[in-house]
């Protein structure tokens, strides 16, 4: 049985986190990074579909995380857009919040779309053990050196019209010589927003995250 959960959400302007913590000291944290847009200065609030989609995933995967002694934290960015890397500072803030609140526990970055892109930019943080990406938005410009000594695993649907499974494979090929391990999971003929095969997406996310935490 999973430990009782506590939820805390910061409401001040700027980035915030929704915490679903185990009752005792966690042995690790899954830090979830939601998607976004190419360019937008609109704030992320409860109406944001990208945030809501990952909030639903957080609720779904947390019982198994808690059963394994792992907390889940969901970051809410300051604004919705990538904007040449705006979410990166927010993600680094969240990683530091984990360290400040919980000490040197290992962190897995679980990102969807723009969240997967954000994750590989901050994976070099000392507490990060790896990246789990679902339908990530990766490009040839995104770094792989940040994955040195970390694991990176991605799942993508073949009929995704928003981000590219081919680009995901290309990124993983670049990362393979650098990362301690890298893999691609074909989710079949499904699109970007994880409306189909929801259970399969959730299972990939939590199974892979827990594997990285050992």
């Amino acid at each position: 049985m999973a430990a009782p959960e506590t939820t805390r959400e910061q409401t001040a302007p700027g980035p915030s986190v929704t915490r679903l913590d185990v009752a005792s000291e966690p042995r690790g944290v899954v830090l979830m990074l939601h998607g976004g847009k190419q360019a937008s200065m609109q704030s992320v609030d409860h109406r944001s579909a990208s945030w809501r989609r990952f909030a639903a995933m957080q609720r779904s995967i947390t019982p198994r995380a808690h059963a394994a002694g792992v907390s889940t934290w969901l970051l809410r960015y300051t604004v919705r857009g990538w904007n040449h890397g705006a979410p990166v500072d927010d993600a680094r803030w969240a990683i530091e919040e984990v360290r400040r609140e919980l000490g040197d526990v290992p962190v897995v970055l679980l990102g969807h779309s723009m969240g997967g892109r954000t994750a590989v930019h901050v994976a070099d943080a000392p507490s990060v053990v790896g990246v789990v990406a679902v339908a990530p938005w990766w490009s040839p410009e995104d770094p792989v050196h940040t994955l040195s000594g970390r694991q990176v695993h991605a799942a993508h649907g073949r009929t995704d019209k928003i981000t590219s499974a081919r680009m995901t494979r290309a990124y993983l090929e670049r990362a393979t010589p650098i990362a301690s391990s890298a893999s691609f999971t074909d989710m079949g003929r499904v699109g970007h927003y994880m409306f189909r095969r929801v259970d399969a997406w959730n299972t990939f996310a939590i199974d892979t995250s827990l594997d990285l935490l050992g």
Side-chain angles (χ1 to χ4, degrees):
M1 179 179 295
E5 67 187 35
T6 60
T7 306
R8 189 175 75 190
E9 189 168 337
Q10 178 179 314
T11 56
S16 63
V17 288
T18 299
R19 295 174 53 169
L20 300 181
D21 285 312
V22 293
S24 58
E25 292 185 6
R27 67 177 185 88
V29 171
V30 177
L31 177 59
M32 302 178 66
L33 310 174
H34 63 83
K37 300 180 177 181
Q38 177 78 35
S40 173
M41 294 304 296
Q42 186 175 1
S43 62
V44 180
D45 58 23
H46 68 280
R47 296 168 294 181
S48 167
S50 296
W51 180 85
R52 291 172 62 186
R53 189 172 299 113
F54 239 33
M57 178 179 277
Q58 184 187 28
R59 292 190 297 270
S60 294
I61 69 174
T62 291
R64 282 198 53 202
H66 283 186
V70 172
S71 294
T72 66
W73 288 31
L74 171 60
L75 172 63
R76 183 185 295 191
Y77 310 128
T78 305
V79 295
R80 298 187 185 192
W82 173 250
N83 303 336
H84 306 289
V88 171
D89 287 343
D90 291 346
R92 291 202 183 278
W93 168 85
I95 293 168
E96 178 57 25
E97 280 294 290
V98 173
R99 188 202 64 78
R100 187 178 67 82
E101 291 281 334
L102 303 176
D104 295 324
V105 298
V107 174
V108 169
L109 302 175
L110 170 59
H112 173 241
S113 192
M114 187 178 78
R117 187 176 202 180
T118 302
V120 299
H121 281 258
V122 301
D124 56 351
S127 60
V128 173
V129 297
V131 170
V132 178
V134 288
W137 169 23
W138 284 333
S139 75
E141 291 75 37
D142 291 320
V144 293
H145 71 273
T146 53
L147 294 167
S148 177
R150 278 89 170 162
Q151 298 186 54
V152 56
H153 303 289
H156 217 129
R158 274 176 270 155
T159 53
D160 190 329
K161 304 300 184 184
I162 307 300
T163 59
S164 166
R166 180 180 59 82
M167 294 294 286
T168 293
R169 289 182 183 273
Y171 179 86
L172 291 170
E173 288 176 5
R174 287 199 294 125
T176 294
I178 307 298
S180 59
S181 66
S183 71
F184 178 89
T185 297
D186 184 349
M187 296 298 289
R189 298 185 63 80
V190 295
H192 185 68
Y193 296 112
M194 302 184 294
F195 293 145
R196 296 176 59 195
R197 303 194 67 208
V198 174
D199 288 345
W201 287 108
N202 290 342
T203 297
F204 171 84
I206 190 59
D207 281 355
T208 311
S209 295
L210 293 179
D211 283 348
L212 265 61
L213 289 169

